[in-house]
Each structure stands twice: as C-alpha cells, then as structure tokens.
Amino acid sequence: MRHGLMAIAQLATVGCLLAIATTAKGANVEAYAGQPWGVGKITVSFQRADFGDPLDSHAFGVEDTDGRIFYPAFEKKRILPLLQSLMGADRVTPPQELTTYFLFVGDQPMDVVVRTPTPQTIRVVPEIPRRPARYQSNLNQWWRQLHENARQQREQGDYSPVVETYLSAMLSQRMGMELPLRSREDMADRSALEPNQSLMLMLGAEKVHDALLKSLMFNELSNEGAHVALPQPIRWQELPIPDAVTDVAIEPLAMQAPKECFYVRFGGLGNYLWLNRLLERNGGDLSKMVSNRGVSMHINEVVQRQLALKQSALADVFGDAVVADMAIIGRDTYTKEGASIGMLFQARNSGVLNNDIRTNYRNSLRQFEAQGATLETVEIAGHEVQFLSTPDNTLRSFHVQRGDFHLVTTSRDIVTKFLNIKDGAGSLGETREFRYARGLMPLDRDDTVIAYLSSEFFRALHAPQYQVELRRRLRSVVEMELLQIARAAAANEYLEDLSVESLQQAGFLPMQFGDRADGSEIFERDGKMHDSLRGGRGNFLPIADVPIETISPLEARSFEGLRRFHLEQWRQMDPIMVGIHRFKLNDEGLERLAIDARMSPFQRDNYQQFISRLGPPLHNHIAPPSRDMATFQAVLRGDAPGAVHHYAVGVQDLAFPIQDFSQGGLLNTLRMIQATPGYLTAWPKPGIIDRIPLIGAAAAPDPFGYSQLPFGLWRREWNDFSTMSFHFDILREVSEQLHLVEDEHPAQVRLHIGDVSNAQVTPLANQLAQAWARSGSHGNARFFHMLNQQLGVPMAEAKEFGDNLLNAELICPLDGEFQVVRDIGGYERWVSTGWGNENTEFQARLMGWFRGLNARLNVEESRLVLHAELDMQGDKPEPRLRLPSFNLFGGFGGAADSDKEEVPAEAIPEPEPLPSPPPEPSPPPQTESGQQF
C-alpha cells in the first residue's frame, strides 16, 4: 500500500464516520474514518481468565482480518487498585477495562479482535460525524496514550528505548503532530551530547545513544563534508605529581605496557583463574552478582572469539611454569561494539606459550574459513607480527613476541606502541604517576588484582581522533538500528520498496540518514548489519586503528566545545588505582576481599559539585543501633559557618509483612519506602524539617520529643539527635540507642552492611529483588509484543528481531525462559516459565554470596581514598576457564555460551589464599619540608 500522510488540517476536512457496536458484551466503540488514516477507540471488559497472566506483560493485541489497523495504544485501569492497596484493602480489585486506541485505513466495516489476551470480536461500522472535532479529539487521545505506553515501557525496560524513540519522532513528523508535553521535554533533551558530558560519551552511556538518535531523527546532523584538518589535542594542565620514591619496585610487566593503556594485572595465573571461577559462579557477569538483569551482552564470548584465545587451552597449558605474570590492557573498554584491548603475558617458557597461541590461531582459522578467515604475517614497527582476521572483524587478533613478553590484541595501534617501547621509555611503568602510585600501593602488598587507569589513558580518550571516531561509530550503530526498525514499519504498512531512498521519501527514515563525513555505508549480510569501514556490528574496527585526517565542520565545532570545557573547567584527568587482596576467613569457603582505591593526584575542583557538602574526615561517627543490618553515614557541612552534621540512614533486621511491589510508579515507590524497616537520623539536629512551610509549623514535638509528619512519617528529637521513621516502634527503640563513638580511622562517608543471607529482613530484600526482576521480565515480554503490534514483526520472531536490533540477548531475570504460547483461538503471546512462581522462594543473586561489607571514604585536598572489606561465600563448583572482558566503565560483560568446552577441576591450580588481611597502605612519604605527597 502506497500512501503518504498529510497534515492534520487536511485530515479535519475529510469526512469522518462514527460507529457504535456491541458484538462483544459491554464493548464501547468509536471509530472515525479519514485520509490517510482513521482513528478508533474500543473499550472492553477483562475476562476472568485473563487474571491468570501478569497484566504488566501487556499481552494485549488488536487486529482485523484485512490488516487495516496500525500503531495501537492500550490503556488499562490501574489507579483504583493502587489506592485500595495504600488504604489497606484486604483484596485488591484487578483492572476491569481495557481501552484500545488505533489508526486504520479505509471506511468499510471491519471485524476487530481485541485480545486481553482473551479474544473479543467487535463489529465496527464507520459513520460520518457532524463535527470534525470529534475526529481530532480521538486522534489526540490515541497520541497521548501511545506516548504514555512508551514512557511506561522505558521505565520498565532494561534496554535502550530505540523503538519507542523512533516511533515517536517518525509519527510526529509524518503526521505533523506536536508531541505531548512530557514527551516533548524528553525528546528535546540533548544534554548528553554537551561538552560537559564528555565522560558520559566515554562511558558509552545510553543517554548519549538516545540523544544522538533524536538528533538524527530530526535532521540535526548536517554533513558539510570532511574538509577540516584534524584539530590539535587538548592542552591539559600538568598533574602535580610529587617525586616518586627512588627505589620503588616496578613489576617488569608494567615496563612493557604502553602508557596510553589501562592496566589490569593479575600477578599470576592463579589469581586470573580465581576471578574466572567467581564469574562462572555468577553467570559470567559481575553485574549479575548484584542484580537479576534482563539483558545479557555476551561480551566475553565476543572478545574471546576475536582474540582467538580458547579457555580450555589456557587451562590445560598455561601454568605457573609457563606464565610468570599477566595483565589485560587496552586503549578503551568499548567491548560491546569492538574494543582496543589485549592480553599481555610475561612467559617463563616462551616456546610453550607461543606454540599454544599459534595452535589456537590455526583452530580458529579452520572454524571461520567460510567467513574468509586469513592468517598472515605482517610487519609492524620493523617486527614480524602474526595477524588472524576475517573481513567483518569477527576474528581480529595480533600476536607479537618480544623476548619473554607476548602480546595478543585486537589493535594494531597497541602493537605499534608496545614495539616502540625502548628500555621502558613510553611504558606505563616508567611514568612518574605510576611510580608514585606504586609507592602508595607497593608490590609487596601482593594484591590479587591491581587495576590502574592513568591520566594518559583518560587523555587519550579525549584525543581528537578518538572523540570524532567515537561519535561516528555511535552514529553507525544508531543508523543500523533505524534501518531495521524502518524496514519493519514500512513493510507493515505494505510499502514494497524498502530501499533507503524509498524509506526516506515515505518518511520512515530521516533525510540525513547515511550522510556521513567519512563516506562509510551500512548494509546487511547474512542477517547481520555491517559498516563498510568498521566491519560487522559488535566487532567494529578498534577506534585506535581508524585513521582520520579530516573532519566535518560540525565535528570540528563539537571538539572545540570539548576543548573549551576542559581548558576552562576540567583541566586535568586524575589517575585511578585499585588494589584487591583476597584472603581466607575460614575453611568453609568464606573469604574476604580487601579493596583499596586511590585517586591521586586528585583535582578537587573537578568534583566540587559532588563533594562541596562533605565535611572534614572525623574519627567519631554514629554508633549503629543493635538491630541495624545496614547503615550509611556521611559527614556534611551545615548552613552556619563551621557547622558539621552527622547523617545516618539505617535499615533494621526486622521481619515485615510481604507485600506486592510489582505495580510500579511513584505510589509504589512510596509503598516500598514505607515498608522498609528503616530510619534517618542526624546529629546535631539540623532543623531542616522545621524550616519547611506549613509542615514545620505543625511538627512541634510533644514532651517526649515525638511529632507526626505527613505520609505516616514519625519524628523524634532526643539527645540532640533528630530521627525519622515510618515505623513508630523502630523510632522509639533507635532514638534511645543513638550516640557517637570513636574510630581509629577518620572518614567522611561510612557504610556497613551485615550478612543478609539469613536475616529477618532477608524475605523483604528478596521480595524487592523479585519485584524488580518480575518488572524486568514483564518489560521484555512487553517489548516483544510491542514489536509485533507496532512494527508487524511476526510474534514468534519478535525476540530474535529484538535481540538482533539491540545486539544483546533479552533474558528473563526470574531465571525463566521466554517462549511463545498459542491460545485456543490461535493468538500467540510471549510468556516466561519464570512467571506464576510468586509463592515459591525467590533468592536474589546477592544473597548467594554476599556476607558483609564495611567501607569508608575520605575526600582530602589532594587525593580520594576508599577502603572496603567485602566478605564472600564461595563454593566448590566445577570450574570452567573464561576470559573476563574488563568493561571497566559499564560493568563486566556477558555469560558464557552453553557449548563452551569445560575444563576438569583438577586441571586448574587453586591459588593459595593469604592467611591474614594485608595492612592498609601507609601514608605517603614526606618531603623535607614535612608535606605529604
């Protein structure tokens, strides 16, 4: 079907028809025909059978036999049940009605099936209305509800809202309709692309992706040709690094790591294998240790495959007799799309190590022969380098050996920098800041893992070439997503020509689509999106390897804004060093991680907006009451000059009734806070509440210090503490126990969390985790249904389409499996095997291993210091070796493939845990003047 959309003014002049039908009992219908689209609204009652499925999964659908319905929006009644629950009703009435708004074509009668998911058939017979305003009113209702559905989906989904943003922008422009107010503000937000958000761009944050998507959809990325010379780098302010201790010990591996690279050193194979086992026990992703996420990126598998380092070979061959030291290094951590990353080994037996790497190369060459894999010897910086690759970069692995040091990396640039290191010059270990950091955290600490992010690493990320290519590859990703969505939407509207030019003319793609400064193009091959310059999605050419000589004026202006921001406000980049030391607490698998993080030198002005309210480090702090399971404390400055207040938020280990927190929204958040057995206290009394208009005047305490505030909140002023809680009994008991105690270590922020694995508060914690997991599971199912209803993707293919679109796997956070079920009437919908188990015991991932945490933070004039002790419960799984991808900014990536070759436990050496915790780092040495470094 070829039809363009006209302005609303034209629509209003077209004859419209109104029909009311009651084929389905209790159904109310309004339908207005028009050109190019009519608009309809059908309200039906839920059937009792529908209450067996989670309504939050939005298993709703609308269809007709002729395929005349498009872009439906669904509104269900949810406010009354929430209010009933807040008022304490024993039985919450489920939603009773569903209103479906939709666009349609033609003016002939049609039989419409609304599924809740029970099918209800309604006969719709259009008639001409006397007032065009009736059409416009219903069109506006559809428009508002479509955006309300999108907003709800963004809140519930655990993925980038690319489909929701696309539909909003595409339909707005094609129909000439102004966005609803809430959506208008969100659609206009480009703050993530501002120069002061350069860190957000480096982190690959979703907000940057979303902002670039909006800019492209509204044709804001004009290409004026790449004829501007690449700008000069930013002139950074020098770091005030003191002279390092002259005899500080530096490991040989650091003397081979390029100074522009991040550096994660394991010190030996045993430490590396310990981390692998930790990942294996928790789904291969450290982020999954904390929460049940609905998305799996599978980053580890991509990096492993690209480097051609098989885990089984590493476990069987690499041992202490072969590998003396090892580290993961890289120019960036953009592992989702293709990182400049590698592994650096110091060998004890280079022959064995070299042979194993070559064996892996030959095996990968055979495995990817059909994809055009090649293994060749290339010359880089005067050295012969083995290079294994495929045209789309599924394989991209350089192996170079220099003496006893072996580098396997995705990046030619890293190879070049590695080979150009001469007698330590150009290495990380030779820099003053690393030597200074090693003085603060010396080698004899024998850390299990040490991570160092140098100032040079951060500066290199801000280099003109890096910044320009980072935005270019992000645009490529966005255009890949847009092309897939636009083709589906256009095919659903029966557009036959799905070429880019046709999609642009029909309004499905913006006119600036594909108009790139570097001349690259995107195309689809074997069901996978490719970039003509960068390769296949997920395996892009590393940014460091992309040559750039000229840029567009828009790119030049963008970088100039970044330069100006860093020259005027954020004038230097602070290095970060983290040491993790592991030791055994008992023979039952309980162990402790002592974590020390240092940001030093530290430019305090860079973080002023975050730390301006912090008071000085103090030895005294609020003693946690006896029942506290978790306590967070901070020393903050008061309003009066020199005033300092201690604030503490605590959660008590008390059993509280289980409630349903799955409905979402602001009221649900309030209910969760009300249910949590916690309190907030401050010393000395800050008086903030008393200064709030109306509330302060009504909050005068009684003779025992109690007063009642809105929303069921209680306050007590006692012993110069001001304490609040939603639970009177907790407030009474806590306020009697509050007092200050001394600690030998001063701090501004303290955190204590006890063992929550078997506490009274554990059921509530598990229930909250289950509610979030359930919300994520329902959100994914809603996404599959949205792809079907909005884009016409066949229901059975919706998950595969969504996974390909997002370059990730959408999984059920309830540990279930998504599957398509078919009703008696033939209606297909997505469900999870994890649904319907609300009455079974749910355990949050955290509960399986977490046994306690104590942490403190000091923000001093020239350094930031964090010390934490994390207790973990281990077990004895059958270990499988895996290559961790250190996505330092975005968390550790993805779970292992189910067909990974397993390694027997006896083939992997168990590292010896240290018998006692390491001493905390000593204060830095002093200069002759007595000043600390």
Side-chain angles (χ1 to χ4, degrees):
M1 179 184 67
R2 300 174 181 271
H3 59 75
L5 294 179
M6 306 171 66
I8 297 302
Q10 294 174 304
L11 294 174
T13 62
V14 179
C16 302
L17 304 176
L18 171 65
I20 297 180
T22 58
T23 304
K25 183 178 180 180
N28 293 314
V29 180
E30 287 183 74
Y32 299 87
Q35 291 293 329
W37 277 334
V39 59
K41 179 175 73 172
I42 300 175
T43 300
V44 297
S45 298
F46 278 88
Q47 302 298 310
R48 178 58 56 180
D50 294 329
F51 298 140
D53 277 344
L55 295 174
D56 283 341
S57 67
H58 266 196
F60 306 138
V62 60
E63 59 190 41
D64 69 291
T65 55
D66 297 325
R68 294 165 53 188
I69 290 179
F70 304 95
Y71 306 113
F74 303 99
E75 180 184 19
K76 59 187 186 303
K77 304 295 184 182
R78 295 301 300 261
I79 298 178
L80 179 59
L82 275 172
L83 291 178
Q84 289 176 330
S85 177
L86 287 172
M87 294 171 62
D90 294 333
R91 180 178 177 84
V92 177
T93 304
Q96 295 295 313
E97 291 183 342
L98 176 74
T99 299
T100 302
Y101 305 86
F102 55 90
L103 302 180
F104 65 93
V105 294
D107 57 5
Q108 297 301 307
M110 55 183 172
D111 290 324
V112 177
V113 179
V114 176
R115 303 185 184 270
T116 60
T118 298
Q120 301 184 54
T121 302
I122 300 96
R123 181 70 171 174
V124 176
V125 183
E127 294 181 6
I128 298 178
R130 298 173 185 239
R131 295 179 300 168
R134 298 280 293 175
Y135 173 94
Q136 189 64 52
S137 174
N138 277 264
L139 187 67
N140 291 340
Q141 291 181 52
W142 162 79
W143 189 234
R144 285 192 297 268
Q145 192 58 43
L146 187 75
H147 284 84
E148 179 62 20
N149 286 171
R151 184 188 64 79
Q152 294 171 355
Q153 185 64 18
R154 282 195 297 268
E155 292 178 352
Q156 197 168 14
D158 195 15
Y159 53 85
S160 175
V162 57
V163 176
E164 297 90 328
T165 302
Y166 168 83
L167 289 172
S168 180
M170 181 269 290
L171 291 172
S172 174
Q173 294 182 96
R174 289 176 68 195
M175 300 184 67
M177 295 189 71
E178 188 176 19
L179 296 171
L181 180 60
R182 295 180 65 177
S183 299
R184 195 182 317 155
E185 295 173 351
D186 177 71
M187 195 63 70
D189 183 13
R190 306 288 190 276
S191 59
L193 298 177
E194 296 297 323
N196 61 354
Q197 299 296 325
S198 63
L199 183 61
M200 189 177 293
L201 177 63
M202 288 196 309
L203 302 186
E206 181 182 296
K207 287 186 177 181
V208 180
H209 171 281
D210 197 36
L212 190 64
L213 169 62
K214 297 168 189 173
S215 295
L216 184 59
M217 285 299 298
F218 288 98
N219 293 296
E220 299 168 359
L221 303 177
S222 60
N223 176 20
E224 304 161 273
H227 55 79
V228 179
L230 194 68
Q232 292 298 310
I234 299 170
R235 295 183 60 183
W236 299 93
Q237 184 182 74
E238 288 298 321
L239 282 171
I241 304 172
D243 292 330
V245 179
T246 56
D247 60 349
V248 63
I250 302 295
E251 64 271 25
L253 204 65
M255 302 299 292
Q256 302 298 322
K259 63 181 180 180
E260 298 88 353
C261 290
F262 71 79
Y263 176 70
V264 182
R265 175 184 180 252
F266 298 94
L269 185 62
N271 294 334
Y272 179 73
L273 296 177
W274 163 77
L275 180 59
N276 283 322
R277 282 192 291 271
L278 181 65
L279 292 175
E280 183 66 24
R281 289 198 301 266
N282 296 281
D285 187 344
L286 287 187
S287 65
K288 291 182 180 178
M289 294 177 66
V290 179
S291 64
N292 295 60
R293 300 189 61 203
V295 177
S296 182
M297 300 297 181
H298 295 293
I299 295 174
N300 282 330
E301 295 82 42
V302 173
V303 175
Q304 277 186 116
R305 182 172 58 246
Q306 208 169 24
L307 288 175
L309 290 179
K310 291 193 68 174
Q311 299 127 320
S312 59
L314 287 170
D316 292 335
V317 178
F318 292 1
D320 291 335
V322 178
V323 176
D325 202 353
M326 61 189 301
I328 297 177
I329 64 173
R331 291 287 311 275
D332 59 60
T333 59
Y334 306 128
T335 46
K336 184 181 179 184
E337 300 301 344
S340 304
I341 197 170
M343 296 196 71
L344 182 61
F345 301 93
Q346 181 184 3
R348 284 197 175 97
N349 190 326
S350 282
V352 174
L353 179 58
N354 184 67
N355 180 69
D356 188 77
I357 293 173
R358 290 175 182 269
T359 298
N360 277 294
Y361 272 21
R362 289 192 294 269
N363 292 338
S364 293
L365 183 65
R366 288 193 297 268
Q367 181 182 355
F368 290 92
E369 182 180 6
Q371 286 91 330
T374 59
L375 178 59
E376 55 186 323
T377 300
V378 297
E379 183 174 321
I380 301 177
H383 290 71
E384 289 188 350
V385 178
Q386 291 290 302
F387 180 42
L388 175 68
S389 65
T390 56
D392 65 352
N393 295 323
T394 297
L395 295 177
R396 182 176 176 84
S397 182
F398 296 89
H399 172 222
V400 59
Q401 176 184 353
R402 189 170 64 176
D404 288 332
F405 296 94
H406 294 250
L407 173 66
V408 181
T409 178
T410 62
S411 172
R412 185 187 186 98
D413 176 81
I414 292 180
V415 174
T416 302
K417 287 179 166 52
F418 169 76
L419 292 173
N420 285 337
I421 295 174
K422 304 298 182 184
D423 299 324
S427 73
L428 178 67
E430 190 66 16
T431 62
R432 286 181 61 198
E433 68 173 66
F434 185 79
R435 299 178 69 85
Y436 169 65
R438 265 302 184 203
L440 296 177
M441 302 177 68
L443 270 175
D444 58 17
R445 283 168 48 96
D446 198 20
D447 286 299
T448 306
V449 181
I450 194 81
Y452 190 74
L453 284 71
S454 67
S455 63
E456 190 67 33
F457 167 70
F458 288 114
R459 292 178 181 184
L461 290 176
H462 284 81
Q465 181 266 347
Y466 240 87
Q467 287 291 304
V468 170
E469 174 56 21
L470 184 55
R471 288 177 183 257
R472 286 181 178 181
R473 66 156 38 186
L474 182 57
R475 174 168 179 169
S476 180
V477 169
V478 168
E479 290 194 350
M480 288 178 176
E481 295 169 343
L482 288 183
L483 183 58
Q484 294 176 79
I485 300 171
R487 284 176 174 172
N492 189 46
E493 292 189 37
Y494 309 108
L495 187 69
E496 296 177 358
D497 184 357
L498 299 182
S499 66
V500 170
E501 294 77 10
S502 174
L503 294 173
Q504 287 176 317
Q505 291 299 322
F508 290 99
L509 283 177
M511 297 307 297
Q512 290 180 356
F513 180 91
D515 190 14
R516 306 191 197 177
D518 58 12
S520 60
E521 299 177 343
I522 61 173
F523 59 92
E524 188 173 3
R525 177 185 296 161
D526 299 327
K528 182 178 180 180
M529 301 302 294
H530 292 71
D531 184 294
S532 60
L533 172 64
R534 297 167 180 86
R537 185 177 181 188
N539 300 294
F540 276 177
L541 192 68
I543 293 178
D545 292 4
V546 179
I548 297 178
E549 296 181 358
T550 58
I551 62 177
S552 71
L554 178 63
E555 292 170 332
R557 290 191 297 270
S558 176
F559 185 78
E560 183 56 33
L562 178 68
R563 180 203 306 277
R564 189 163 49 248
F565 167 73
H566 284 289
L567 289 177
E568 296 174 356
Q569 299 183 49
W570 200 296
R571 297 184 292 273
Q572 69 182 38
M573 305 303 294
D574 303 315
I576 301 172
M577 191 170 197
V578 180
I580 302 175
H581 190 93
R582 167 182 172 245
F583 57 93
K584 183 171 67 174
L585 291 179
N586 61 28
D587 294 329
E588 304 300 323
L590 186 65
E591 58 187 26
R592 175 168 294 171
L593 300 185
I595 305 168
D596 287 294
R598 301 285 186 272
M599 184 180 288
S600 180
F602 171 67
Q603 182 62 39
R604 189 182 179 93
D605 292 344
N606 291 347
Y607 313 93
Q608 199 62 30
Q609 59 177 322
F610 305 109
I611 65 176
S612 59
R613 294 293 297 178
L614 283 179
L618 298 178
H619 286 275
N620 61 342
H621 64 93
I622 299 174
S626 59
R627 291 181 181 269
D628 272 19
M629 176 55 64
T631 311
F632 173 82
Q633 300 192 35
V635 178
L636 302 180
R637 300 184 186 278
D639 295 332
V644 174
H645 299 276
H646 291 264
Y647 287 84
V649 178
V651 177
Q652 300 240 290
D653 184 20
L654 295 172
F656 267 69
I658 303 299
Q659 301 181 41
D660 179 15
F661 298 117
S662 62
Q663 297 181 15
L666 180 61
L667 290 176
N668 189 60
T669 301
L670 177 60
R671 291 172 60 239
M672 286 193 293
I673 295 175
Q674 291 174 332
T676 303
Y679 66 89
L680 167 66
T681 190
W683 180 94
K685 173 188 172 182
I688 298 175
I689 295 294
D690 301 297
R691 293 193 293 270
I692 299 178
L694 300 179
I695 295 179
D702 65 15
F704 299 98
Y706 294 101
S707 56
Q708 190 167 12
L709 306 177
F711 305 106
L713 186 64
W714 287 89
R715 180 178 70 161
R716 190 182 190 191
E717 299 175 34
W718 196 255
N719 291 335
D720 213 17
F721 283 88
S722 179
T723 310
M724 294 186 294
S725 176
F726 284 103
H727 308 281
F728 183 83
D729 292 340
I730 291 178
L731 178 64
R732 180 178 55 193
E733 182 175 338
V734 165
S735 59
E736 297 287 348
Q737 299 181 42
L738 292 172
H739 64 283
L740 298 183
V741 294
E742 293 288 323
D743 190 287
E744 62 174 312
H745 301 290
Q748 293 150 298
V749 178
R750 300 176 191 270
L751 175 64
H752 164 76
I753 303 177
D755 184 358
V756 297
S757 62
N758 191 26
Q760 293 188 72
V761 77
T762 300
L764 177 61
N766 278 327
Q767 189 209 11
L768 292 174
Q770 185 182 31
W772 292 325
R774 187 186 304 119
S775 176
S777 181
H778 296 169
N780 284 350
R782 287 174 58 168
F783 180 62
F784 304 149
H785 293 145
M786 179 179 66
L787 294 176
N788 169 258
Q789 289 291 294
Q790 304 298 337
L791 303 181
V793 178
M795 189 69 81
E797 301 173 14
K799 184 180 184 303
E800 181 181 3
F801 182 93
D803 290 350
N804 291 335
L805 175 68
L806 301 173
N807 192 32
E809 182 185 6
L810 294 171
I811 60 177
C812 176
L814 295 169
D815 294 327
E817 296 291 334
F818 283 117
Q819 59 187 19
V820 177
V821 298
R822 184 186 295 269
D823 293 334
I824 296 177
Y827 178 58
E828 294 180 327
R829 69 184 191 278
W830 282 93
V831 301
S832 170
T833 57
W835 297 351
N837 298 325
E838 286 77 6
N839 296 326
T840 61
E841 184 176 352
F842 179 89
Q843 184 182 52
R845 293 266 172 85
L846 190 72
M847 303 300 176
W849 61 268
F850 182 84
R851 296 299 179 266
L853 172 68
N854 285 287
R856 62 178 182 272
L857 173 71
N858 285 339
V859 181
E860 303 171 5
E861 192 61 36
S862 61
R863 62 176 179 163
L864 182 149
V865 180
L866 170 69
H867 177 78
E869 294 181 354
L870 174 64
D871 293 345
M872 305 176 60
Q873 180 63 53
D875 54 21
K876 298 180 180 179
E878 182 178 348
R880 292 185 297 169
L881 182 62
R882 38 184 310 106
L883 176 67
S885 64
F886 274 75
N887 189 0
L888 296 172
F889 296 132
F892 288 74
D897 291 334
S898 59
D899 60 352
K900 279 280 181 279
E901 185 175 353
E902 297 191 359
V903 180
E906 58 269 16
I908 303 179
E910 173 67 29
E912 285 293 331
L914 294 180
S916 60
E920 291 192 43
S922 303
Q926 295 185 335
T927 62
E928 294 182 0
S929 62
Q931 293 181 336
Q932 287 190 339
F933 287 162

